[in-house]
Amino acid sequence: IWRELADSEFERLALDHVRDLYPDFDWRSTSLTRDGGKDAIGKMQDLREGISEIYWMEAKHHPANRSIGKYTLDTHLLSAFFSRDVKRLHVVTSGSLSTNFLLRADAFSKEHGFIFAYSDHEALEAWFGLRHDVVRKYFDSSFLDVLCALDHRSSSSHSIFARALLVPDNDGVNQSLIPALNLLPGKKFKLVVTVSMATQLKETNF
């Protein structure tokens, strides 16, 4: 279904997506201003504290090749770091992110004081299941075909997708970015969980 969207259309879809995820933020596109490192900026003003919370969104459309290149997003992580003001970088992609990149992004963002978040093609397709109006908006001429294609996939009704893996924990400053395939006795390992969201969750009491 992703081949039907041009890059500019996907950027608009990604902007709608983060507006749905973060409704308290005022989002604006930066595609016309060519601001480096992001396709949209979200800002929430705390009137009592007089402090602005700033989020960035970066859209990556990969309709033909689901896997995004190894270093494609590294420049955006660096841009978020050098900005000093960004609290969250949210990548929206029609492709998928490698485990190695997610580990690297998680470690880098934590070390430098911001949050890395993402929505991949699975999360977006689950979002479509909740927002048929979005499907009609961007796939109007093939609305029913897209819904049918989504129904035939092993899609989930859940709003959060998580990937868990173990990495060696060597107590050093630089943690390993390679998942552990075998657990050896006497070695320490760390559980890393990466999360991709499809839509904002309703408040739940646990």
Side-chain angles (χ1 to χ4, degrees), residues 128-142:
F128 288 163
L130 301 169
R131 294 289 306 274
H132 287 186
D133 59 314
V134 174
V135 180
R136 185 177 292 280
K137 179 179 180 180
Y138 291 98
F139 302 92
D140 184 48
S141 60
S142 56

Side-chain angles (χ1 to χ4, degrees), residues 68-136:
I68 296 178
K70 186 175 181 181
Y71 298 110
T72 300
L73 294 170
D74 285 0
T75 55
H76 304 293
L77 291 171
L78 288 173
S79 294
F81 162 62
F82 284 120
S83 76
R84 303 296 183 185
D85 296 323
V86 178
K87 299 301 182 184
R88 181 183 296 257
L89 170 64
H90 194 117
V91 172
V92 181
T93 178
S94 57
S96 59
L97 303 177
S98 71
T99 298
N100 283 345
F101 170 76
L102 291 175
L103 279 172
R104 190 166 69 249
D106 178 71
F108 183 87
S109 61
K110 285 180 177 177
E111 182 180 353
H112 296 292
F114 66 96
I115 297 171
F116 174 80
Y118 71 99
S119 298
D120 58 11
H121 70 94
E122 284 189 320
L124 290 176
E125 289 165 13
W127 181 56
F128 288 163
L130 301 169
R131 294 289 306 274
H132 287 186
D133 59 314
V134 174
V135 180
R136 185 177 292 280

Side-chain angles (χ1 to χ4, degrees), residues 15-197:
L15 184 56
D16 283 345
H17 181 63
V18 291
R19 282 173 173 159
D20 210 16
L21 284 177
Y22 311 109
D24 294 331
F25 282 70
D26 180 25
W27 287 92
R28 66 174 180 85
S29 172
T30 62
S31 58
L32 295 179
T33 59
R34 297 298 178 185
D35 289 344
K38 70 276 189 189
D39 289 314
I41 295 175
K43 183 180 291 187
M44 181 177 66
Q45 186 78 32
D46 188 326
L47 298 179
R48 292 173 300 177
E49 301 291 336
I51 299 174
S52 293
E53 187 92 349
I54 297 175
Y55 287 4
W56 281 4
M57 183 276 288
E58 176 64 24
K60 291 295 181 185
H61 190 29
H62 283 247
N65 182 5
R66 279 287 171 86
S67 179
I68 296 178
K70 186 175 181 181
Y71 298 110
T72 300
L73 294 170
D74 285 0
T75 55
H76 304 293
L77 291 171
L78 288 173
S79 294
F81 162 62
F82 284 120
S83 76
R84 303 296 183 185
D85 296 323
V86 178
K87 299 301 182 184
R88 181 183 296 257
L89 170 64
H90 194 117
V91 172
V92 181
T93 178
S94 57
S96 59
L97 303 177
S98 71
T99 298
N100 283 345
F101 170 76
L102 291 175
L103 279 172
R104 190 166 69 249
D106 178 71
F108 183 87
S109 61
K110 285 180 177 177
E111 182 180 353
H112 296 292
F114 66 96
I115 297 171
F116 174 80
Y118 71 99
S119 298
D120 58 11
H121 70 94
E122 284 189 320
L124 290 176
E125 289 165 13
W127 181 56
F128 288 163
L130 301 169
R131 294 289 306 274
H132 287 186
D133 59 314
V134 174
V135 180
R136 185 177 292 280
K137 179 179 180 180
Y138 291 98
F139 302 92
D140 184 48
S141 60
S142 56
F143 173 67
L144 294 178
D145 291 337
V146 171
L147 290 184
C148 184
L150 292 173
D151 286 341
H152 282 83
R153 295 185 180 183
S154 56
S155 58
S156 170
S157 60
H158 298 294
S159 299
I160 285 186
F161 299 84
R163 191 185 307 180
L165 56 147
L166 293 169
V167 296
D169 186 357
N170 56 16
D171 291 325
V173 176
N174 297 319
Q175 71 171 9
S176 173
L177 299 179
I178 302 175
L181 300 179
N182 299 295
L183 302 185
L184 302 176
K187 299 292 185 180
K188 294 175 63 177
F189 298 90
K190 182 188 302 181
L191 176 65
V192 177
V193 178
T194 62
V195 175
S196 173
M197 292 192 299

